[in-house]
Amino acid sequence: MEQQDGSSVSTAYLRFAEDEVRDRSPLYGALLRGVAADPEVIGFLLTLPREKRQPNLFLAAARRLFGTPAGWDQFRSGVLQNKDALRAAMLARSTQTNEPGRCAALLPVLAGLPEPLALLEVGASAGLCLLPDFYAYDYGGAVLGPEAQRLPPPVFPCAVNAATPVPARLPRVVWRAGLDLKPVDLADPGEVGWLEALVWPEQTDRLARLRSAIEIAAEQKPRLVKGDLRTDLAVLAREAPKDATLVIFHTAVLPYLSSAVDREEFARSVGLLCDFWIANETPRVLPDIAGRAGREGPRGSFLMSVNGAPMAWTDPHGAWLNWIGAG
């Protein structure tokens, strides 16, 4: 595997601070810049496999072990004084965010598809994004939500542009399943605690919505299957009911395929398994689709496509959506 030197780790942390964190978490911005400038902390990161040096994984693991730091000095001390425990946590965990707010970006597409729907999520983690019809949404007008259910739904705000086809109702879903290398068991307090640690410190509203979604998912228990998208997706897709529109979707999953050849093969083959393929990914992992978008999206944005056609630039956590159409 290609090695990564200290300067490239530093650059990656600065880029994450600028592209992903920006004004969302002043604390994380300060910590990321501190890491980028600290040879000793960078040296610790270099003891980990390359795929385990991700900023989000590092920050979440440290918070899970040591709590939320007051600032850089406290964070640095915690890291350097507890290297073995932190290394073990980072090796054992992955950034299975599965942010349910992403359903707000998916819904304008899902609501326009022929019903009923069968949903199959790749990289489903805890299955939180398999329940878009159990949540409520605020696109800047009247709140759209389920008519009646026992648990109150979280309301996901999503700023949209004028071109966005804002849904008038929730789609009817008759089958749902998820595929993940390490499905998250919401009955395990440790697993739930890890999902909560992945929420950035200042995002208290996001944490409240996550907890509400977790409560709904724990009750609904969407089916999660342990497996690899390269070898196990086709088998699971064949289980979907034939009289339903099968939608395979994923968000922030393809970067975990380190090989560009694997990503290209997945993009070629997934459309043969379903009626609609929705990809909501950073544009660099599907460059052919990004090239058809006509222009670059806002810095740090994801590109959502349907069957390979660019549809919208999206916030990685579903906070906004800029519809671009088929392009």
Side-chain angles (χ1 to χ4, degrees):
M1 179 180 293
E2 179 187 354
Q3 294 299 307
Q4 191 177 22
D5 62 23
S7 63
S8 61
V9 174
S10 178
T11 298
Y13 272 66
L14 287 175
R15 184 182 299 121
F16 193 85
E18 293 299 320
D19 291 352
E20 302 289 342
V21 174
R22 294 198 304 277
D23 56 351
R24 292 190 179 103
S25 175
L27 175 60
Y28 270 10
L31 298 184
L32 290 162
R33 289 187 290 272
V35 170
D38 193 299
E40 200 168 354
V41 177
I42 292 290
F44 163 73
L45 290 169
L46 289 173
T47 67
L48 292 156
R50 183 173 182 173
E51 67 275 10
K52 292 293 185 177
R53 299 170 191 165
Q54 303 165 48
N56 228 13
L57 177 63
F58 182 36
L59 295 170
R63 279 182 67 215
R64 182 71 175 141
L65 289 177
F66 318 131
T68 301
W72 166 248
D73 290 341
Q74 184 182 352
F75 176 83
R76 182 180 189 273
S77 296
V79 169
L80 297 180
Q81 292 172 16
N82 299 277
K83 291 180 182 179
D84 291 344
L86 185 54
R87 182 183 296 108
M90 293 176 69
L91 290 173
R93 293 292 186 181
S94 61
T95 53
Q96 294 175 281
T97 311
N98 200 213
E99 166 59 50
R102 292 168 176 161
C103 289
L106 295 169
L107 194 66
V109 173
L110 296 177
L113 301 181
E115 296 181 357
L117 303 183
L119 302 181
L120 200 171
E121 185 184 13
V122 179
S125 185
L128 302 180
C129 289
L130 281 167
L131 301 163
D133 47 329
F134 285 85
Y135 305 147
Y137 306 88
D138 182 357
Y139 293 103
V143 173
L144 171 68
E147 292 184 2
Q149 63 185 41
R150 192 183 71 82
L151 294 171
V155 180
F156 293 110
C158 182
V160 297
N161 63 355
T164 302
V166 175
R169 62 183 181 84
L170 298 177
R172 184 164 70 94
V173 180
V174 295
W175 183 90
R176 65 193 92 214
L179 184 72
D180 199 275
L181 286 172
K182 293 182 178 179
V184 173
D185 180 6
L186 294 179
D188 183 339
E191 296 290 333
V192 172
W194 175 244
L195 291 179
E196 293 181 352
L198 287 165
V199 176
W200 300 345
E202 297 88 347
Q203 297 179 329
T204 54
D205 289 345
R206 181 183 166 207
L207 180 59
R209 292 191 292 266
L210 173 67
R211 287 171 171 164
S212 178
I214 286 173
E215 191 176 6
I216 290 172
E219 180 180 78
Q220 294 299 320
K221 296 181 174 59
R223 182 183 174 210
L224 301 177
V225 176
K226 183 177 181 178
D228 190 307
L229 63 84
R230 290 165 292 193
T231 55
D232 303 309
L233 183 58
V235 173
L236 185 56
R238 284 196 290 269
E239 295 185 24
K242 302 303 182 212
D243 57 350
T245 298
L246 177 56
V247 181
I248 293 179
F249 68 99
H250 51 89
T251 301
V253 167
L254 294 189
Y256 292 94
L257 290 179
S258 58
S259 164
V261 173
D262 284 347
R263 293 194 295 268
E264 291 165 4
E265 175 57 30
F266 174 78
R268 278 194 299 268
S269 62
V270 65
L272 302 175
L273 304 177
C274 59
D275 300 297
F276 292 92
W277 165 44
I278 304 175
N280 189 29
E281 299 280 353
T282 179
R284 67 178 178 270
V285 299
L286 293 170
D288 290 345
I289 294 175
R292 294 194 288 273
R295 59 175 178 80
E296 291 187 4
R299 189 172 184 174
S301 61
F302 284 2
L303 177 61
M304 183 164 62
S305 61
V306 180
N307 291 344
M311 284 293 159
W313 296 102
T314 70
D315 173 76
H317 296 149
W320 55 261
L321 172 73
N322 288 336
W323 194 266
I324 57 177

